[in-house]
Amino acid sequence: MKVMVLGGGGREHAICRGLKRSPEVTKIFCSPGNPGIAKIAECVALPAGDMEAVADFAVKNGIDLVVVGPELPLCQGVADAVRARGIPVFGPSKAAARLEGSKDFSKQFMVRYGIPTAAYASFTEKGKALDYVRAEYAAGRGVVVKADGLAAGKGVIVASCLAEAEKAVEECFAGAFGAAGNVVVVEELLVGEEASILALADGDTVIPLVSSQDHKRLLDGDRGPNTGGMGAYSPAPVVTDALMREIDETILRRFLRGVQAEKLDYRGIIYAGIMVTKDGPKVLEFNVRFGDPETEAILPRLESSLADALMKTALGKVSQIKMRWSPKPSVCVVMASEGYPGPLRKGFAITGIEEAEKDGVIVFHAGTAEKDGVLVNAGGRVLVVTADGDTVTDAIAKAYAGVAKIRWTGVQYRRDIARRAVNRK
Ligand code: AMP
Ligand code: GLY
């Protein structure tokens, strides 16, 4: 099987690694890939945003399966373009990708199918949005302000006071997130512990992967600004068997009912970002692709063939998938550039990756580049270091021992990834 992966971050590195370990796979292409991926796949640079270029490449190179990593190409219709040439794609259609691409569409979908989520209102006028926010605060409720469209993980402002909420509304309408902020969603502030539930889905069946938990805030103790995610672990003990049954019933099954009722072509991952509130699990957001960095914690636990699972999903045969998971918990720590999630300091030489790998950790590349033969930091999230262990405490120790061997000027990372899983016990 020849597979093509779209994307070039830690998530795609983890997907390529999983494919490489799958017995069916003979060749992997990745566009654009990165220096870590280049060790296991042939990286090609197709023009970004050109769906037909992807379809052409797949036809010319006899690709059997295209796997789409990020949300942007899905929202631009890459799955539709490749499928039109008769090639299986792991990833939902453009119409289905609106579940991530438009928060307003996504909220309406949840309401239509009874999926528990935060109360909300959508606005196209700043004045009305500000009135609503003030009324919420007057009634003693906090709010979260969200730009409707894709904003690279930056369009969500969890307001800590009325002034901050007002400022967020002003900024959205002033174009801080471009066209993504033309519609603004204002949501009820939910309180609880978060978990990520990723599942393989087609129009008939949805099969959850093992649970995980992300760490969205930059700093230890969940302080500082929101980021793309600073680390993850799997499983997430907050997701007990009983809670998983509830999530399956009230979220995943209702999602499937909606996909069927609206005739959406869904063949890929449905990722439910969940807040476990005192009133039960509620959906914070749907994503239509693998989570990053959750994937770097989840996929190393997969013992059965990733290629088989992704191909069956692409063919609409999710009901035939049997996955086998390692019982060992895994932990991944994101190592980021100085300045992240703001303006970055880039271009510093990275050392110690091979020494770290000798001790059995996996080092995924997220934002690296090669400059004059030297590996340098080139993005916000640079490396993701994953380890497993007999206990989550062991996995934490092993992951951080790996992290300690890796250096570059200005590197930053959280010291408390997965701590919550330990404290719970
Ligand atoms: P989203 O991109 O919608 O998942 O939002 C990013 C992060 O903002 C989530 O992971 C939560 O930490 C936080 N968040 C989003 N919506 C809410 C909400 N309604 N209440 C509390 N926190 C939220
Ligand atoms: N880890 C959050 C995301 O992938 O959206």
Side-chain angles (χ1 to χ4, degrees):
M1 190 195 293
K2 281 172 141 181
V3 190
M4 161 139 207
V5 177
L6 298 185
R11 163 182 54 206
E12 288 76 22
H13 194 177
I15 291 171
C16 286
R17 178 180 178 273
L19 291 170
K20 182 85 184 163
R21 296 160 71 87
S22 304
E24 302 87 340
V25 173
T26 51
K27 171 91 191 176
I28 307 169
F29 291 99
C30 186
S31 174
N34 65 38
I37 293 173
K39 292 190 180 153
I40 52 176
E42 183 176 334
C43 294
V44 294
L46 299 178
D50 188 343
M51 307 303 120
E52 292 309 319
V54 177
D56 287 341
F57 183 92
V59 170
K60 260 190 216 128
N61 291 279
I63 302 293
D64 299 295
L65 171 68
V66 174
V67 179
V68 188
E71 61 277 16
L72 187 59
L74 290 168
C75 292
Q76 291 170 333
V78 76
D80 312 67
V82 176
R83 270 184 204 133
R85 311 285 186 93
I87 297 171
V89 180
F90 182 86
S93 67
K94 180 176 180 172
R98 289 174 71 205
L99 282 171
E100 176 165 0
S102 165
K103 295 201 186 278
D104 183 44
F105 174 83
S106 187
K107 294 294 283 191
Q108 289 187 32
F109 180 94
M110 291 185 228
V111 171
R112 273 200 294 282
Y113 300 101
I115 296 168
T117 188
Y120 82 107
S122 298
F123 300 93
T124 52
E125 286 170 50
K126 186 173 79 178
K128 289 196 175 144
L130 287 172
D131 287 346
Y132 181 85
V133 164
R134 287 172 192 140
E136 286 295 294
Y137 271 90
R141 291 187 290 264
V143 302
V144 179
V145 177
K146 301 185 175 184
D148 174 62
L150 292 183
K154 292 186 182 124
V156 174
I157 302 101
V158 181
S160 61
C161 60
L162 173 60
E164 214 175 293
E166 288 175 335
K167 183 165 158 256
V169 169
E170 296 276 358
E171 283 176 357
C172 276
F173 282 112
F177 308 109
N182 290 350
V183 177
V184 171
V185 171
V186 182
E187 260 185 35
E188 164 197 14
L189 181 78
L190 296 177
V191 179
E193 187 171 342
E194 285 182 53
S196 301
I197 298 297
L198 282 66
L200 296 171
D202 60 20
D204 299 314
T205 312
V206 52
I207 302 183
L209 312 183
V210 287
S211 65
S212 60
Q213 190 176 68
D214 190 4
H215 298 64
K216 290 251 157 73
R217 301 295 189 115
L218 179 69
L219 303 174
D220 286 8
D222 293 328
R223 292 172 302 107
N226 261 326
T227 69
M230 295 301 291
Y233 61 95
S234 170
V238 64
V239 184
T240 58
D241 290 349
L243 182 63
M244 195 56 225
R245 278 195 296 278
E246 192 177 348
I247 289 169
D248 190 54
E249 220 165 90
T250 64
I251 297 171
L252 298 180
R253 275 167 204 288
R254 292 176 191 176
F255 156 80
L256 208 53
R257 204 176 309 148
V259 164
Q260 290 163 355
E262 309 205 355
K263 300 193 168 52
L264 297 174
D265 183 356
Y266 213 103
R267 286 178 261 172
I269 284 281
I270 180 69
Y271 161 149
I274 286 170
M275 185 75 89
V276 183
T277 74
K278 62 176 176 27
D279 303 319
K282 296 194 180 184
V283 176
L284 293 171
E285 61 165 347
F286 277 133
N287 294 322
V288 299
R289 36 91 194 158
F290 279 108
D292 197 350
E294 289 94 327
T295 303
E296 292 95 301
I298 291 173
L299 287 188
R301 295 185 60 204
L302 182 65
E303 291 177 338
S304 52
S305 163
L306 178 65
D308 177 70
L310 301 187
M311 183 59 124
K312 285 193 171 125
T313 305
L315 295 174
K317 296 178 178 169
V318 171
S319 64
Q320 297 176 15
I321 297 172
K322 298 247 173 324
M323 279 177 293
R324 219 175 42 250
W325 298 98
S326 162
K328 289 187 177 179
S330 69
V331 170
C332 74
V333 179
V334 171
M335 302 182 74
S337 293
E338 183 177 350
Y340 181 72
L344 308 172
R345 290 191 70 208
K346 299 189 283 196
F348 299 104
I350 302 170
T351 60
I353 292 180
E354 274 158 30
E355 290 85 305
E357 284 172 332
K358 273 185 206 136
D359 295 334
V361 305
I362 309 168
V363 181
F364 293 113
H365 289 232
T368 63
E370 236 146 34
K371 201 173 77 182
D372 307 324
V374 177
L375 191 74
V376 299
N377 66 316
R381 295 186 288 179
V382 178
L383 296 172
V384 185
V385 179
T386 300
D388 66 0
D390 290 327
T391 64
V392 70
T393 306
D394 293 344
I396 292 170
K398 191 165 146 194
Y400 277 106
V403 166
K405 297 203 171 87
I406 300 172
R407 296 218 154 101
W408 71 86
T409 304
V411 57
Q412 56 164 338
Y413 53 87
R414 277 180 63 157
R415 263 78 174 167
D416 65 345
I417 300 301
R419 205 37 81 198
R420 187 178 272 135
V422 178
N423 293 344
R424 174 174 286 276
K425 283 173 183 159

